[in-house]
Amino acid sequence: MAHPTDPRLTPLAQSLPATVPFVGPETQERTRGKPFAARLGANESGFGPSPRAIAALQSSAADIWQYPDPEAYDLRQALAAHHDIDAAHIMVGEGIDTLLGNLVRLIITSGDAVVTSAGAYPTFNYHVTGFGGVLHSVPYAGNHEDPDRLIAKAKEVGAKLIYIANPDNPMGSHHDAATLQRMISAVPDGCLLVLDEAYIDLAPDGTAPYVAPHDDRVIRMRTFSKAYGLAGARTGYAIGPAPLIAAFDRVRNHFGMNRSSQAAAIAALADQDWLAQVQGKVAACRDSLAAIARGNGLTPLPSATNFVTIDCGQDGTFARRVLVALGDAGIFVRMPFVAPHDRCIRVSCGPDAEIAAFAAALPQALASARSQE
Amino acid sequence: MAHPTDPRLTPLAQSLPATVPFVGPETQERTRGKPFAARLGANESGFGPSPRAIAALQSSAADIWQYPDPEAYDLRQALAAHHDIDAAHIMVGEGIDTLLGNLVRLIITSGDAVVTSAGAYPTFNYHVTGFGGVLHSVPYAGNHEDPDRLIAKAKEVGAKLIYIANPDNPMGSHHDAATLQRMISAVPDGCLLVLDEAYIDLAPDGTAPYVAPHDDRVIRMRTFSKAYGLAGARTGYAIGPAPLIAAFDRVRNHFGMNRSSQAAAIAALADQDWLAQVQGKVAACRDSLAAIARGNGLTPLPSATNFVTIDCGQDGTFARRVLVALGDAGIFVRMPFVAPHDRCIRVSCGPDAEIAAFAAALPQALASARSQE
């Protein structure tokens, strides 16, 4: 709903758009008047979290009257052991989005330059704009983010932050560790690389670069929302140099992390067998989605994530029609925002029944889109 | 741990203190090497949330793989019905702290003036400082915040925000609705009153002022952390004029609200019988705490909250010794930060066993404190 702007807002707040980065499927469901039959648009894990994480949520419910530990000490210790680093290198937050917001707030002030790829994560851009930063975008190289151009642009504009996701969303592509290590070694002085590894648990071995804990050229973002299946619990973490990690304490909401979510994340992390099962299911599902795409004359892109980006072979207008027709059929999927990637739709992996529903709906959705040409 | 400051931080971030507003009891427990026997320091509700809220947390655990509804639509609708206002006047966030942070970010930029009371909520001050605002404090009038002086100071310094909590924390006092209504009518043009009503559900009838939903002089903060017993679920909300509420969408983390917390809050709100039971238990417990204080020669202050602030009759040094001795005995309580309020300790209401543990420990704690004089 449009409102007149409150005149007490800061000039920066006055200048910000009223749009939001993502509309949730629940909003679409309310508009449709009925729920989606398949929820395959947000790269959630329909395979669910470890049963141990669910048990932790249930058993911790009785203690929910207590505030959370603002230090997330137990979770940070568990993560430190998992990564074999000191907990001083780890900050936990209410999802990567919150950590990105705090990071941008710490580093970016009015007019500071930030570099990202055109079509990369909109919520990062939202935070940069929200703190007065100036975004500079470089194109992807095909379906991959382009480390060399990101670095070159950062040098050109004197960027304080560079954002890259590896694996990438929305294209599903990835670079190998050596490529990322070359990129890290080229980060200009005074600049920080934000390496978003939300999908790293679903990528081939050898995708994650080795980064020394004290390396102050890079901060990594991880999440329990994807492979670990805890998107609703809002739990992410950053790994970085201790002085930068400590700086989060100057701006973050110390009591923002849900108490039960901390317990669930600890339980999820401890169940690496479950993670391995999910990785196997995701790999099989990627193959299924690729086969469905090919069976409909479309081109699935290789994926190192829990989704498959499907090239619909025409332009954004066509892909958008496919998306809308799928939505009308009860299939929630999303698509890249920016050309030329918006020739694609992006379909999350999920349980067989939901994938079957997508497979059943796709031919008619394509026919519908073609009929509108 | 002290770290060198990262040179990439903004000048504002560089200037911020590394201290945090509150240290959690878990940190103290780790230092002690054992848990507290009684958790009476954070004004949590040891009486717990509605069993329906616990059931909602447990039944929603299976859906935790899904992201939350970023609009918190169902919860906002339930709150709108509860308050008999339109949902456009309600913003849900991860506790009042998060909403205060977003509000300050929207309104305050470097050098803007903000007025509060010396010794009032430190987390509000943390956010003001965090966004470069300049805090101006006025003293309490005895054990009450002083609406007239807050308004006068706001006029004097051209404040953009005034903060008041009614009922007050840490003193437990309250003003009646008529006093607040006079205060609201005196808010200067261009200024906004932040009325923190975290404890309103525990105050006498007639404490909450009537505020027309479109009244743009005031924004109210409410929470499920206190009377509703859901502190760990991080769920608060703001009630205010629609243009200001809409502005939160420009800066907030849209997906920050835990999915299960939304379900729990809806269930808690629907169980007003449970709330009434808690109100009764809190009232009885306030009487118990007051009797314990008097039995030890101390002076309990009247309370409109779920805690009792106990005047220890000497200065901050003495009260701090009492606090430390209680902690050594396994009783977690807190105390006001600022003189002259720091002559007091602040004890939360809770179940009989915890109150009995406090009663058992207090005489020795007082003796210990007196022995150090």
Side-chain angles (χ1 to χ4, degrees):
Chain A
M1 201 189 315
H3 295 285
T5 302
D6 191 303
R8 290 164 296 201
L9 299 191
T10 67
L12 175 57
Q14 297 272 7
S15 76
L16 298 175
T19 54
V20 302
F22 287 100
V23 174
E26 291 82 4
T27 304
Q28 297 176 55
E29 289 176 332
R30 287 188 287 270
T31 304
R32 303 176 73 228
K34 54 186 174 181
F36 285 118
R39 189 172 163 118
L40 301 171
N43 304 339
E44 300 158 330
S45 182
F47 305 117
S50 160
R52 291 200 226 168
I54 293 177
L57 289 173
Q58 292 174 329
S59 65
S60 66
D63 291 333
I64 202 70
W65 62 274
Q66 300 181 9
Y67 281 103
D69 176 9
E71 299 179 17
Y73 181 89
D74 292 338
L75 175 54
R76 285 171 52 245
Q77 290 297 319
L79 289 166
H82 180 75
H83 291 291
D84 195 19
I85 57 177
D86 189 274
H89 296 287
I90 297 173
M91 178 55 63
V92 169
E94 308 91 296
I96 288 177
D97 286 358
T98 295
L99 292 161
L100 288 175
N102 285 333
L103 178 69
V104 171
R105 180 175 164 193
L106 284 169
I107 305 277
I108 299 301
T109 190
S110 187
D112 283 344
V114 176
V115 170
T116 187
S117 303
Y121 194 43
T123 304
F124 176 74
N125 299 354
Y126 167 79
H127 289 308
V128 171
T129 303
F131 287 102
V134 178
L135 282 162
H136 300 268
S137 296
V138 303
Y140 279 58
N143 297 322
H144 288 72
E145 293 192 69
D146 188 336
D148 292 341
R149 287 188 77 157
L150 286 163
I151 293 288
K153 178 60 79 176
K155 290 178 174 165
E156 176 193 330
V157 301
K160 293 191 76 182
L161 292 175
I162 306 170
Y163 176 90
I164 189 171
N166 192 50
D168 176 64
N169 176 24
M171 301 309 281
S173 60
H174 74 290
H175 292 290
D176 63 15
T179 302
L180 264 292
Q181 271 160 344
R182 279 196 303 276
M183 185 182 188
I184 292 167
S185 67
V187 172
D189 282 350
C191 184
L192 176 70
L193 180 66
V194 184
L195 175 55
D196 185 340
E197 297 185 321
Y199 295 97
I200 197 71
D201 304 301
L202 301 155
D205 287 345
T207 302
Y210 171 76
V211 181
H214 61 270
D215 191 327
D216 67 0
R217 297 169 298 185
V218 57
I219 187 168
R220 310 166 84 155
M221 299 289 172
R222 301 284 185 105
T223 185
F224 286 90
S225 296
K226 303 300 181 189
Y228 287 102
L230 288 168
R234 313 312 306 120
T235 310
Y237 59 103
I239 308 173
L244 181 60
I245 292 296
F248 279 76
D249 272 337
R250 301 181 179 200
V251 298
R252 72 188 182 96
N253 279 304
H254 298 269
F255 288 85
M257 268 301 304
N258 185 289
R259 184 177 183 91
S260 294
S261 295
Q262 297 184 35
I266 291 168
L269 191 67
D271 194 351
Q272 293 291 311
D273 288 347
W274 179 265
L275 180 65
Q277 286 181 49
V278 169
Q279 289 164 334
K281 289 176 184 173
V282 165
C285 190
R286 286 191 298 234
D287 291 343
S288 299
L289 286 169
I292 293 163
R294 285 190 203 98
N296 284 273
L298 309 179
T299 306
L301 306 186
S303 171
T305 66
N306 70 341
F307 61 86
V308 176
T309 302
I310 298 173
D311 185 339
C312 294
Q314 301 193 38
D315 62 5
T317 302
F318 180 78
R320 205 160 288 112
R321 285 176 183 150
V322 176
L323 192 83
V324 168
L326 285 169
D328 291 344
I331 313 296
F332 168 56
V333 299
R334 285 200 175 119
M335 62 182 285
F337 294 101
V338 174
H341 304 155
D342 65 355
R343 71 191 186 280
C344 303
I345 60 172
R346 194 196 68 178
V347 186
S348 306
C349 296
D352 290 345
E354 303 201 25
I355 301 303
F358 167 70
L362 183 58
Q364 176 59 41
L366 288 166
S368 166
R370 285 174 186 135
S371 74
Q372 297 170 59
E373 289 178 67
Chain B
M1 201 188 316
H3 295 285
T5 301
D6 190 302
R8 291 164 295 199
L9 300 191
T10 66
L12 175 59
Q14 298 272 8
S15 76
L16 298 176
T19 55
V20 303
F22 288 100
V23 174
E26 293 82 5
T27 304
Q28 296 176 56
E29 289 176 333
R30 287 188 288 270
T31 305
R32 302 176 75 228
K34 54 187 172 180
F36 285 117
R39 188 172 163 118
L40 301 171
N43 305 339
E44 301 159 329
S45 182
F47 306 116
S50 161
R52 291 200 225 166
I54 293 178
L57 289 173
Q58 292 175 329
S59 65
S60 65
D63 291 333
I64 202 70
W65 62 273
Q66 300 181 10
Y67 281 103
D69 175 9
E71 299 180 16
Y73 181 89
D74 293 337
L75 175 54
R76 285 172 52 245
Q77 289 297 319
L79 289 166
H82 180 75
H83 291 292
D84 194 21
I85 56 178
D86 191 274
H89 296 288
I90 297 172
M91 177 55 64
V92 169
E94 307 91 298
I96 288 177
D97 286 0
T98 295
L99 293 162
L100 288 175
N102 285 332
L103 178 69
V104 171
R105 180 175 165 194
L106 284 169
I107 306 276
I108 299 301
T109 189
S110 186
D112 283 344
V114 176
V115 171
T116 186
S117 303
Y121 194 44
T123 305
F124 175 75
N125 299 354
Y126 167 80
H127 289 307
V128 170
T129 304
F131 287 102
V134 178
L135 283 162
H136 300 267
S137 295
V138 303
Y140 280 57
N143 297 320
H144 287 72
E145 293 191 70
D146 188 337
D148 292 341
R149 286 187 78 158
L150 287 163
I151 292 288
K153 178 61 81 175
K155 288 178 176 166
E156 176 194 328
V157 300
K160 293 190 75 182
L161 292 175
I162 307 170
Y163 176 89
I164 189 170
N166 193 50
D168 176 63
N169 176 24
M171 301 309 281
S173 59
H174 75 290
H175 292 290
D176 63 15
T179 303
L180 264 294
Q181 271 161 342
R182 279 197 304 275
M183 185 182 187
I184 292 167
S185 68
V187 171
D189 282 351
C191 184
L192 177 70
L193 180 67
V194 185
L195 175 56
D196 185 339
E197 297 185 320
Y199 295 96
I200 196 71
D201 305 301
L202 301 155
D205 287 347
T207 302
Y210 171 76
V211 181
H214 61 271
D215 190 328
D216 67 0
R217 296 169 298 185
V218 57
I219 187 168
R220 312 166 84 154
M221 298 290 172
R222 300 285 184 106
T223 184
F224 286 90
S225 295
K226 303 300 180 187
Y228 286 103
L230 288 168
R234 314 312 305 122
T235 309
Y237 58 103
I239 308 173
L244 181 60
I245 292 297
F248 279 76
D249 272 338
R250 300 182 179 200
V251 298
R252 72 188 183 97
N253 280 303
H254 298 270
F255 288 86
M257 267 301 303
N258 185 289
R259 185 178 182 91
S260 293
S261 295
Q262 296 184 36
I266 292 169
L269 190 67
D271 193 352
Q272 291 291 311
D273 288 346
W274 180 265
L275 180 65
Q277 287 180 50
V278 170
Q279 289 164 334
K281 289 176 185 173
V282 165
C285 190
R286 287 192 298 234
D287 290 345
S288 299
L289 286 169
I292 293 163
R294 285 191 203 98
N296 284 273
L298 309 179
T299 305
L301 306 186
S303 170
T305 66
N306 70 341
F307 60 85
V308 175
T309 301
I310 297 174
D311 185 340
C312 293
Q314 300 193 40
D315 62 4
T317 302
F318 180 79
R320 204 160 290 112
R321 285 177 183 150
V322 176
L323 192 84
V324 168
L326 285 169
D328 291 345
I331 313 297
F332 168 56
V333 299
R334 285 198 176 121
M335 60 182 287
F337 293 100
V338 174
H341 303 156
D342 65 355
R343 70 191 188 279
C344 303
I345 60 172
R346 194 196 68 177
V347 187
S348 306
C349 296
D352 290 345
E354 302 201 27
I355 301 303
F358 167 69
L362 183 58
Q364 177 59 40
L366 288 167
S368 167
R370 285 175 185 136
S371 74
Q372 298 171 60
E373 289 179 67

